[in-house]
Amino acid sequence: MRLVNPRWILLAVFIFTTPLAAKNRNGELAPPEVKKQQDALMKAMIEGNKRHASHRTLKSGLSKIMVVSCADSRVPPEVIFNMKPGELYTNRAFGTIVDKVILGSLEYGAEILDCRVLVVLGHTKCTALKEAIGEHAHPRTEWASLNKKSLYEQLEPAVAEVEESNIHLKAQTDKELEGEALLDAVVKSNVLHTMHAIREQSPLLWQLEQDDLLRIVGAVYNMETGKVEWIKE
Ligand SMILES: [Zn+2]
């Protein structure tokens, strides 16, 4: 009797035990178009980087300006301020907020890079704050992600402040901020809250500001006009 080659047995075991495609955490296959989309996105980055590498100009020196801004892809600070790589030290998070890691990053910028200006840059039509307004009106009781919960907890004070003054406004004038006007007020309030958080949670940055070695300013980028409005405190 002819024996079966053990290598064929191994190959058969491998074929029958290897899934045809990776399954996600729910045990379901991701739609095939998602993989195609991911491949196209990777290709766009690789091709874009090739173009960048072929005609980049090396710039010496480091930025003296720090920016805290939203992660929204439509508001890149370098484009808004018409600056080149190396001119801005940017720290971005959804909703223009700071946490311990971002504050540490800012302290590094101020102390080691000698940055002299820190801009907290909000923007009109901010999706994060629009979501936060909805969350304030209809707070959810259960969160699938605690990370998202802490994000909204940080945005909530700016929303609550505007909604509270809205109640007074309605009592006095029978009018209240709604829609875009409400969002604009929350965006501005959120910039001020983030500036306050920086001063309160980073004694180092606060001291540098007190010593006039660092200027902390707030601003809102208008996505329709392209103009930056500087906030007077
Ligand atoms: Zn935003």
Side-chain angles (χ1 to χ4, degrees), residues 69-72 74-75 93-96 122-129:
S69 72
C70 185
D72 192 316
R74 301 166 298 175
V75 294
F94 197 47
T96 316
H123 68 99
T124 60
K125 302 181 189 296
C126 183
T127 315
L129 289 164

Side-chain angles (χ1 to χ4, degrees), residues 66 103-104 106-112 198-211 213-214 216:
M66 298 192 282
L103 286 172
L106 295 173
E107 289 178 357
Y108 173 84
E111 243 192 354
I112 312 293
I198 290 168
R199 289 166 178 145
E200 193 183 55
Q201 295 166 32
S202 170
L204 191 149
L205 294 173
W206 179 82
Q207 192 59 55
L208 286 171
E209 188 187 30
Q210 294 303 302
D211 296 341
L213 292 170
L214 179 69
I216 303 177

